[in-house]
Amino acid sequence: MKLTNECILCILNQTLNVCKTLNIDEDKTKEVLDEIASFVKEMKFDQTPPYVASFVYQKISKILNIEDLYSTQKELAIIKAKTLFEYTKDIVQNANDKLLFAIKASIAGNVLDLATPTNFCLDEEISKIFSNNFEIDNHEELKNDILIAKKIVYLADNAGENIFDNILLKTIKSINPTCKIFYATRSKPIINDITYHEALKCGHEEFAEVVDSGVDSPGFIFEKSTDKFLKLFEDCDFVISKGMGNFETLESYKDKKIYFLFKVKCNIVATHINKNVGDIICMKNI
């Protein structure tokens, strides 16, 4: 997906939200907004929103002298997710189609996103997601691929959301105990995405090997990754891509081995896939 004028407005709103969240004073906030406004007006529309956002957040961090802008919010999101984890896990374990429910559980956590214009409540999402249908549903194809896979790359997304990923990781291993799963994180703090060192504290290694993708953007970008991870990406049987950011950067990469799992949270993505804000998606790339 490519940058639009609406994306630029969203990035400016995100910039303001960062300053509000961190209680930055008015003068400093104006300095940040002026700097980001000058930067984004030079951006070209052949770039993806996450690519632009990676540089925007680097600039915000530099101006405010704060490396991890949302460190507190990430910690709180993980704590919140853990309070709902056992309840959600029990629902999945008692379901007839455990994979279907595990996918939905992992997508429920996708509402913990500080970079989208639409706000959702995690408690409400958990309470209703299991009765909602996928608006794009390729979960049977995903199940068939899991059954025969030897290596799976799982592109992680947000902090807090990652806790619910453990339910899906466990379910995948129950379907195919011998498959190797690589849980790939961001290399550095970017918005509220989960980083390598944060993921190591969240129990993923019971089901997968946590790996650093080398990427410091809120969406997987090949040019920002490492040779080691790119080889892993190339050699795996298929990729599970979580979240809108990863979708925005990878949907143009026409590789059928990528599955996108996310909740639609902005009008640009909704229009692009001809769905509505709030829809849940389990989509094989074509």
Side-chain angles (χ1 to χ4, degrees):
M1 288 183 59
K2 302 305 180 185
L3 192 71
T4 68
N5 283 319
E6 192 170 340
C7 296
I8 292 174
L9 179 60
C10 179
I11 287 170
L12 291 173
N13 284 330
Q14 288 179 48
T15 303
L16 180 59
N17 287 338
V18 170
C19 293
K20 286 182 176 179
T21 300
L22 298 177
N23 295 314
I24 305 301
D25 65 56
E26 289 294 319
D27 289 339
K28 196 67 174 180
T29 295
K30 185 177 185 304
E31 178 187 343
V32 174
L33 286 169
D34 287 345
E35 177 70 21
I36 300 307
S38 296
F39 173 74
V40 296
K41 74 178 183 181
E42 302 298 328
M43 291 296 97
K44 298 178 180 179
F45 289 107
D46 62 349
Q47 297 165 332
T48 65
Y51 177 85
V52 175
S54 66
F55 293 101
V56 166
Y57 277 87
Q58 287 173 17
K59 286 183 175 293
I60 297 172
S61 292
K62 184 176 181 180
I63 296 169
L64 298 180
N65 195 28
I66 302 173
E67 180 182 6
D68 192 348
L69 295 165
Y70 281 132
S71 60
T72 299
Q73 287 69 30
K74 287 190 289 183
E75 290 174 5
L76 292 174
I78 289 171
I79 292 170
K80 176 64 176 179
K82 286 180 177 179
T83 66
L84 295 168
F85 178 79
E86 291 298 328
Y87 168 77
T88 308
K89 184 179 72 173
D90 288 345
I91 292 175
V92 173
Q93 288 179 337
N94 292 321
N96 291 327
D97 190 337
K98 291 180 174 56
L99 178 62
L100 174 64
F101 274 50
I103 295 169
K104 289 183 176 182
S106 73
I107 292 176
N110 190 227
V111 302
L112 295 167
D113 191 340
L114 298 179
T116 58
T118 306
N119 294 319
F120 297 92
C121 173
L122 180 59
D123 298 81
E124 292 179 4
E125 194 66 21
I126 293 293
S127 69
K128 67 183 182 182
I129 196 165
F130 297 109
S131 60
N132 289 350
N133 294 323
F134 288 118
E135 290 304 317
I136 300 176
D137 185 0
N138 296 136
H139 92 276
E140 287 292 346
E141 292 94 325
L142 176 56
K143 183 175 183 178
N144 291 335
D145 281 345
I146 289 171
L147 285 168
I148 60 174
K150 294 181 180 179
K151 291 182 181 179
I152 301 170
V153 166
Y154 192 118
L155 295 178
D157 192 26
N158 301 319
E161 175 182 353
N162 71 300
I163 299 300
F164 298 103
D165 286 340
N166 277 338
I167 297 175
L168 180 52
L169 293 171
K170 180 180 180 180
T171 304
I172 291 171
K173 292 293 285 186
S174 71
I175 294 172
N176 183 350
T178 62
C179 75
K180 179 74 173 178
I181 307 173
F182 298 91
Y183 190 77
T185 67
R186 310 300 186 216
S187 65
K188 297 178 182 178
I190 177 68
I191 317 181
N192 65 319
D193 287 17
I194 194 75
T195 64
Y196 174 74
H197 294 292
E198 291 163 341
L200 288 176
K201 303 173 185 178
C202 294
H204 302 302
E205 291 191 302
E206 182 179 350
F207 315 107
E209 179 181 342
V210 178
V211 295
D212 186 337
S213 70
V215 168
D216 62 355
S217 51
F220 183 77
I221 297 173
F222 290 95
E223 293 78 9
K224 285 178 169 283
S225 189
T226 61
D227 290 342
K228 181 179 180 181
F229 184 76
L230 289 176
K231 183 69 164 56
L232 186 61
F233 192 102
E234 180 182 344
D235 290 346
C236 74
D237 294 293
F238 67 89
V239 175
I240 293 175
S241 169
K242 287 294 302 296
M244 278 200 331
N246 286 323
F247 172 76
E248 290 171 31
T249 55
L250 288 173
E251 59 87 25
S252 62
Y253 182 70
K254 299 305 180 185
D255 189 332
K256 292 183 179 180
K257 73 177 185 179
I258 302 175
Y259 286 89
F260 297 111
L261 310 182
F262 64 96
K263 186 178 182 73
V264 181
K265 291 169 289 188
C266 83
N267 290 323
I268 299 299
V269 172
T271 300
H272 188 76
I273 61 173
N274 196 29
K275 299 300 174 185
N276 298 309
V277 171
D279 288 345
I280 55 174
I281 306 297
C282 177
M283 172 184 176
K284 186 172 185 176
N285 202 22
I286 54 174

